[in-house]
């Protein structure tokens, strides 16, 4: 899902036996960091550092997923 698109991640999740909490946490990470290749090229052509922004999105996605996982553990 990070490299391609959200639909690829959904297809991969369908093949796994995941709980609702696991699906939600994975979806948060993928929705923040999806389609990095295409958007990185667009950002690069717009004058930004596409690789740095991709790293930022990956870290932000994983951090948001970790926080969501912790919050759902308290419910």
């Amino acid at each position: 899902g990070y490299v391609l698109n959200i639909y690829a991640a959904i297809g991969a999740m369908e093949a796994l036996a995941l709980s609702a909490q696991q699906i939600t946490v994975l979806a948060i990470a993928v929705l923040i960091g999806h389609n990095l290749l295409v958007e990185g090229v667009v950002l690069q052509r717009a004058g930004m550092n596409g690789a740095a922004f991709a790293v930022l999105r990956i870290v932000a996605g994983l951090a948001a997923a970790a926080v969501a996982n912790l919050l759902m553990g308290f419910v």
Side-chain angles (χ1 to χ4, degrees), residues 45-70:
R45 290 188 182 201
M48 292 182 66
N49 187 345
F53 198 70
V55 169
L56 174 67
R57 286 178 54 194
I58 290 170
V59 170
L62 293 175
V67 169
N69 189 44
L70 287 173

Side-chain angles (χ1 to χ4, degrees), residues 2 5 7 9-11 22 25 28 35-36 47 58 66-67 69 71 73:
Y2 275 162
N5 59 30
Y7 301 109
I10 292 172
Q22 291 170 326
V25 169
I28 289 169
N35 208 9
L36 292 175
I58 290 170
V67 169
N69 189 44
L71 291 175

Side-chain angles (χ1 to χ4, degrees), residues 6 8 18 24-26 30-31 35 38 40 43 46 49 55 61 66-67 69 73:
I6 296 169
L18 299 174
T24 303
V25 169
L26 187 56
V30 169
L31 287 172
N35 208 9
V38 173
L43 287 171
N49 187 345
V55 169
V67 169
N69 189 44

